[in-house]
Amino acid sequence: SISKGEFVAAEQGLQQRKSARDRENICNAAIGLLAKGGYAETTIAGVAQDAGVSKGAVQYNFQTKEELIAADV
Protein backbone atom coordinates (compact mmCIF):
# COMPACT_ATOMS: atom_id res chain seq x y z
CA SER A 1 0.00 0.00 0.00
CA ILE A 2 1.23 3.49 -0.79
CA SER A 3 0.81 6.57 1.32
CA LYS A 4 -1.24 9.57 0.28
CA GLY A 5 2.00 11.54 -0.21
CA GLU A 6 3.42 8.86 -2.53
CA PHE A 7 0.17 8.80 -4.49
CA VAL A 8 0.16 12.58 -4.88
CA ALA A 9 3.81 12.56 -5.97
CA ALA A 10 3.13 9.84 -8.55
CA GLU A 11 0.10 11.73 -9.86
CA GLN A 12 2.13 14.93 -10.17
CA GLY A 13 4.80 13.04 -12.09
CA LEU A 14 2.19 11.75 -14.54
CA GLN A 15 0.79 15.26 -15.00
CA GLN A 16 4.26 16.70 -15.63
CA ARG A 17 4.97 14.06 -18.28
CA LYS A 18 1.61 14.75 -19.96
CA SER A 19 2.31 18.50 -19.92
CA ALA A 20 5.73 17.97 -21.47
CA ARG A 21 4.24 15.66 -24.12
CA ASP A 22 1.49 18.19 -24.90
CA ARG A 23 4.04 21.00 -25.22
CA GLU A 24 6.16 18.89 -27.57
CA ASN A 25 3.09 18.00 -29.67
CA ILE A 26 2.12 21.69 -29.82
CA CYS A 27 5.61 22.67 -30.99
CA ASN A 28 5.70 19.93 -33.61
CA ALA A 29 2.25 20.92 -34.90
CA ALA A 30 3.30 24.57 -35.13
CA ILE A 31 6.45 23.69 -37.07
CA GLY A 32 4.43 21.57 -39.50
CA LEU A 33 1.83 24.28 -40.06
CA LEU A 34 4.47 26.97 -40.48
CA ALA A 35 6.26 24.87 -43.09
CA LYS A 36 2.99 24.17 -44.90
CA GLY A 37 1.28 27.55 -44.86
CA GLY A 38 3.60 30.14 -43.41
CA TYR A 39 3.05 32.51 -40.51
CA ALA A 40 -0.21 34.06 -41.71
CA GLU A 41 -1.88 30.68 -42.21
CA THR A 42 -0.74 29.25 -38.87
CA THR A 43 -3.41 29.73 -36.21
CA ILE A 44 -3.68 28.72 -32.57
CA ALA A 45 -6.82 26.75 -33.47
CA GLY A 46 -4.98 24.91 -36.24
CA VAL A 47 -2.04 24.14 -33.98
CA ALA A 48 -4.39 22.83 -31.30
CA GLN A 49 -6.23 20.62 -33.77
CA ASP A 50 -3.02 19.16 -35.23
CA ALA A 51 -1.51 18.67 -31.75
CA GLY A 52 -4.64 16.95 -30.43
CA VAL A 53 -5.11 19.44 -27.60
CA SER A 54 -7.54 22.25 -26.82
CA LYS A 55 -6.93 25.88 -27.79
CA GLY A 56 -6.74 26.55 -24.06
CA ALA A 57 -3.85 24.09 -23.74
CA VAL A 58 -1.94 25.92 -26.47
CA GLN A 59 -2.63 29.28 -24.84
CA TYR A 60 -1.66 27.93 -21.41
CA ASN A 61 1.75 26.95 -22.75
CA PHE A 62 2.22 29.90 -25.12
CA GLN A 63 0.48 33.23 -24.47
CA THR A 64 0.69 34.36 -28.10
CA LYS A 65 1.41 32.97 -31.54
CA GLU A 66 4.65 34.95 -31.51
CA GLU A 67 5.73 33.22 -28.29
CA LEU A 68 4.95 29.85 -29.83
CA ILE A 69 6.94 30.65 -32.96
CA ALA A 70 9.88 31.92 -30.90
CA ALA A 71 9.94 28.64 -28.95
CA ASP A 72 10.22 26.71 -32.20
CA VAL A 73 13.05 28.76 -33.71
Side-chain angles (χ1 to χ4, degrees), residues 48-59:
Q49 182 177 355
D50 283 12
V53 300
S54 68
K55 282 177 37 178
V58 176
Q59 292 170 324

Side-chain angles (χ1 to χ4, degrees), residues 2-61:
I2 64 172
S3 71
K4 182 178 178 181
E6 291 170 324
F7 177 78
V8 169
E11 192 171 282
Q12 288 174 339
L14 288 172
Q15 186 60 31
Q16 288 173 341
R17 287 192 299 276
K18 182 186 182 312
S19 292
R21 186 174 57 245
D22 284 351
R23 189 174 172 91
E24 182 177 348
N25 289 343
I26 290 166
C27 288
N28 288 337
I31 290 168
L33 289 172
L34 283 166
K36 183 178 175 183
Y39 180 85
E41 297 295 319
T42 301
T43 64
I44 295 295
V47 170
Q49 182 177 355
D50 283 12
V53 300
S54 68
K55 282 177 37 178
V58 176
Q59 292 170 324
Y60 175 81
N61 284 282

